[in-house]
Amino acid sequence: MIGKKNDFKFCPICSSAKIQNHNNRKWVCPDCGFDLYCNVATATGVIFFDKYDNVLFEVRAKEPRRGFFAVPGGFADFDESAEEAAIRECREELGASVSCVKYLCSAPNTYVYKNIEYKTCDLFFTAELPPQFDSIDDFIKSLHSEESEVLGLKAFRVSDFDDIEKIPLAFESARFTLKRFVEMRKSGKI
């Protein structure tokens, strides 16, 4: 249920029913002193594109937003930079070897999973196609996506804002980022 208040009825340490919720950002137990902070999680996404303004998208295999489109990416692991997370996610989800990603922008996102609302800061990067590929479609044919994460791969042309609105995107952070991508492409910065 989107927008459901994250809440705990009992302290996970002492089981006290007196646990206090401070605006879904911190939980405090007055009986044992337990504090739990709900901090923003870091997630990454990678935009692979070709000279024809085609962008690679995954069809999500998992909730939230199963069946909707997203760029490759996922959550950063402990002790991992955002760049490392982006490269690892491309390897895990696509079987793609990426040696370098370039920062594009960041955007806030809300990720609802099993009725818990997670706030994320999504960091987006661009990655060049490997030199042996001229188009996204050729690149897609070389990939071996992880079935538990990805139902399929598809290229969409992303050359203006109208193109973006036609794509059933899983997350608003991707919509924001694709608009930034279009602006950067039009200004010649990408």
Side-chain angles (χ1 to χ4, degrees), residues 56-63 65-74 89-95 140 143-154:
L56 171 68
F57 290 90
E58 301 174 342
V59 181
R60 289 182 56 80
K62 290 183 173 180
E63 293 296 344
R65 312 285 289 161
R66 184 180 196 276
F68 285 79
F69 290 94
V71 296
E89 287 288 345
C90 288
R91 184 178 60 253
E92 290 175 2
E93 291 183 354
L94 304 174
I140 287 173
L143 299 175
H144 306 283
S145 57
E146 183 179 2
E147 291 178 12
S148 66
E149 297 282 333
V150 180
L151 291 175
L153 301 170
K154 182 172 173 117

Side-chain angles (χ1 to χ4, degrees), residues 49-147:
F49 65 97
D50 62 23
K51 63 186 175 186
Y52 311 106
D53 292 329
N54 296 310
V55 173
L56 171 68
F57 290 90
E58 301 174 342
V59 181
R60 289 182 56 80
K62 290 183 173 180
E63 293 296 344
R65 312 285 289 161
R66 184 180 196 276
F68 285 79
F69 290 94
V71 296
F75 288 100
D77 287 342
F78 294 131
D79 301 320
E80 183 176 55
S81 72
E83 291 85 355
E84 290 168 336
I87 290 168
R88 175 186 50 76
E89 287 288 345
C90 288
R91 184 178 60 253
E92 290 175 2
E93 291 183 354
L94 304 174
S97 292
V98 179
S99 58
C100 179
V101 293
K102 294 179 183 173
Y103 178 76
L104 177 64
C105 68
S106 65
N109 194 25
T110 300
Y111 190 90
V112 179
Y113 182 70
K114 295 188 177 183
N115 293 325
I116 300 291
E117 187 176 90
Y118 297 91
K119 295 295 186 176
T120 66
C121 181
D122 298 348
L123 300 156
F124 290 92
F125 300 88
T126 59
E128 292 183 12
L129 290 181
Q132 67 268 32
F133 300 106
D134 186 51
S135 72
I136 287 291
D137 289 328
D138 290 340
F139 183 51
I140 287 173
K141 292 174 190 171
S142 76
L143 299 175
H144 306 283
S145 57
E146 183 179 2
E147 291 178 12

